[in-house]
Amino acid sequence: RRHVWFGCEVGVPHILLVGASFPRRAPALRDEAMARHVRILYGSQTGTARDAAHELVIDCARHGVRASAQDLDSVDPTHLPGSAMVIFICSTTGQGEVPDTMKRFWRAVRRRSLSPSALQGVPYACFGLGDSSYAKFNAVARRLDVRLQQLSAMPAIPLALGDDQSDGGYYPAFYAWKGKVFAHMRSSGLASGAVLPLHDLPSRYLVDVGTPERDAASSGDTVPSPPAADTPAVKPGTCPAAPYTAKVRENTSLCSESMRQERDVRHLSFDIDGAGLSYECGDTWLIGHIPT
């Protein structure tokens, strides 16, 4: 597989980095913080459930909700009571098997020693990621939903299942489910009525763009000398150090107006006439941007 590199004049996109760090607190303060905190827990095999969970964290921030995402295996199920809401996003792998980042949690939540009231009163929502071409479609999410209720957790909204085989993949079901999640949050006082635009969210990190000269000076290294005059020039578009600068020729949305409120998938066409670049199906293109 070959790699083609080029830059394009598309302007500067907004960058949002989401992270969270929770210092140790006194028990009373910690309990109070948990009562306003939404926990988003995912069980992922290939990263799809994890990506959906982190997308939901950003959506929570837009709705004024404090939330964090973590894999299920990092959580003790007996520590869930006291949370404002717990949201589960889990995939099904193989023939109805639990994904790798959920196996330890699943063993823990299935222990016979757990009291039937272990999750008494914990409000939760659950979304499953699956493929209906498999016999045990979304088996993990279905079993988890049943087990949570056996432990006296309260479903805030009904279980929803995404299907890779449907038009648009799991996204239509995911967006419809998210709408119900935030409707519940608003009715319970967790979410505000106003929704912030994505670019109005504060960044948690400072992004510093350096230069080779400054980075070399700070590290004590030297900047590589320019190539000698008789060194063959690198063809633009064949390596990261020599990108080909192309203008965007077409930029159209592939989503309906309602879907663009949540996610916008776009078709981009670049002008590479005269670049002398060739490519085949399956090649990878790295697209950067040049500020305008």
Side-chain angles (χ1 to χ4, degrees):
R1 178 172 293 185
R2 298 170 300 158
H3 295 75
V4 183
W5 311 82
F6 67 97
C8 55
E9 298 176 1
V10 296
V12 182
H14 293 286
I15 299 175
L16 175 68
L17 303 177
V18 177
S21 175
F22 303 105
R24 294 173 178 262
R25 295 185 176 94
L29 294 177
R30 187 165 59 245
D31 292 344
E32 182 181 351
M34 283 187 64
R36 301 193 304 269
H37 181 220
V38 173
R39 305 185 70 174
I40 303 171
L41 310 178
Y42 60 85
S44 187
Q45 186 69 27
T46 62
T48 305
R50 177 196 60 209
D51 293 345
H54 286 292
E55 178 180 324
L56 190 55
V57 170
I58 296 175
D59 289 334
C60 283
R62 295 179 63 197
H63 286 79
V65 178
R66 182 169 173 264
S68 63
Q70 58 191 127
D71 65 81
L72 278 158
D73 272 358
S74 65
V75 176
D76 183 337
T78 62
H79 293 169
L80 295 179
S83 301
M85 186 176 184
V86 183
I87 298 177
F88 298 89
I89 302 177
C90 52
S91 62
T92 298
T93 184
Q95 299 300 320
E97 299 165 12
V98 172
D100 287 343
T101 62
M102 183 181 169
K103 289 181 177 179
R104 188 162 54 246
F105 177 89
W106 185 236
R107 286 194 298 269
V109 85
R110 293 177 65 198
R111 290 199 311 264
R112 293 185 178 181
S113 60
L114 280 179
S115 166
S117 60
L119 300 180
Q120 179 74 45
V122 175
Y124 78 92
C126 186
F127 184 81
L129 295 162
D131 187 324
S132 59
S133 65
Y134 288 83
K136 297 183 179 179
F137 171 60
N138 263 315
V140 172
R142 296 175 191 270
R143 292 199 299 262
L144 176 62
D145 185 53
V146 170
R147 183 56 177 158
L148 292 172
Q149 294 185 53
Q150 288 175 345
L151 297 175
S152 302
M154 301 187 307
I157 60 173
L159 168 69
L161 305 175
D163 183 5
D164 274 348
Q165 293 298 318
S166 67
D167 291 339
Y170 76 88
Y171 294 111
F174 183 57
Y175 295 147
W177 173 79
K178 283 200 302 182
K180 295 177 182 178
V181 168
F182 288 113
H184 169 79
M185 288 184 181
R186 285 191 295 271
S187 66
S188 62
L190 279 175
S192 61
V195 181
L196 286 174
L198 185 60
H199 56 75
D200 282 352
L201 293 179
S203 175
R204 292 180 178 267
Y205 299 93
L206 175 65
V207 179
D208 183 22
V209 180
T211 63
E213 293 77 11
R214 194 190 70 185
D215 292 344
S218 63
S219 63
D221 297 332
T222 58
V223 180
S225 302
D230 57 352
T231 302
V234 178
K235 182 180 178 181
T238 57
C239 73
Y244 178 78
T245 301
K247 290 187 177 180
V248 177
R249 185 158 49 189
E250 183 183 359
N251 183 357
T252 57
S253 176
L254 301 179
C255 299
S256 64
E257 185 175 352
S258 60
M259 184 173 287
R260 285 201 298 271
Q261 301 298 320
E262 297 287 349
R263 179 187 291 267
D264 192 7
V265 179
R266 308 192 74 82
H267 169 76
L268 298 176
S269 174
F270 300 95
D271 184 1
I272 59 172
D273 294 340
L277 299 175
S278 62
Y279 56 90
E280 299 174 357
C281 182
D283 288 348
T284 301
W285 292 64
L286 178 65
I287 303 176
H289 65 84
I290 299 174
T292 56

